[in-house]
């Protein structure tokens, strides 16, 4: 039951945070900075594959250690995981695409660290209390 609670909590918290961020940042930040690099419309299938894999990674690499060592461990591991994952995407784009905004790279890395730390911390708390 602990792992089910953890998965649901990560999915809900990270999903809610990312939905709020993307609904603002899509039109106000990403579109002005990246323009023609962005697809005309959102593609649900690849997003769902990403979120499923990411939720599993957050549970394994941040919540699991958080349950053993406390919420601070979950927050730290979540922040590191988020920063590394988002940096991988953004820095690869910056290295391989003709035009990629450094501002987007920095904002994404900070966002990934923050959102993943919050989701991992909340899920650790929920799994510990309700799992």
């Amino acid at each position: 039951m602990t792992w089910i609670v953890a998965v649901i909590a990560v999915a809900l918290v990270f999903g809610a945070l990312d939905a709020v961020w993307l609904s603002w940042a899509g039109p106000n930040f990403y579109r002005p900075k990246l323009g023609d690099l962005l697809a005309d419309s959102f593609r649900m299938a690849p997003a769902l594959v990403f979120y499923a894999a990411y939720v599993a990674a957050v549970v394994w690499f941040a919540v699991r250690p958080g349950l053993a060592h406390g919420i601070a461990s979950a927050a730290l591991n979540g922040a590191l995981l988020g920063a590394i994952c988002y940096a991988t995407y953004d820095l690869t784009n910056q290295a391989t695409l003709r035009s990629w905004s450094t501002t987007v790279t920095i904002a994404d890395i900070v966002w990934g660290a923050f959102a993943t730390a919050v989701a991992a911390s909340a899920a650790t708390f929920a799994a510990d209390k309700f799992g």
Side-chain angles (χ1 to χ4, degrees):
M1 187 66 165
T2 300
W3 302 114
I4 293 169
V5 171
V7 167
I8 291 169
V10 170
L12 290 175
V13 173
F14 188 81
L17 288 171
D18 222 29
V20 169
W21 168 250
L22 291 174
S23 62
W24 174 84
N28 298 301
F29 181 66
Y30 293 117
R31 181 81 46 202
K33 297 258 184 237
L34 301 175
D36 291 338
L37 290 174
L38 297 178
D40 292 332
S41 62
F42 183 75
R43 296 184 191 121
M44 185 61 74
L48 291 175
V49 172
F50 163 75
Y51 284 111
Y54 200 68
V55 165
V58 173
V59 169
W60 183 259
F61 292 110
V63 175
R64 186 176 58 88
L67 289 170
H69 303 292
I71 289 179
S73 175
L76 176 61
N77 287 320
L80 292 171
L81 177 66
I84 290 166
C85 289
Y86 280 66
T88 299
Y89 171 79
D90 282 278
L91 292 171
T92 298
N93 285 341
Q94 204 160 8
T96 61
L97 297 177
R98 192 178 322 265
S99 174
W100 188 264
S101 168
T102 300
T103 303
V104 168
T105 296
I106 293 166
D108 275 358
I109 293 169
V110 170
W111 172 251
F114 170 77
T116 308
V118 171
S121 299
T124 300
F125 175 82
D128 188 46
K129 295 297 178 203
F130 307 112

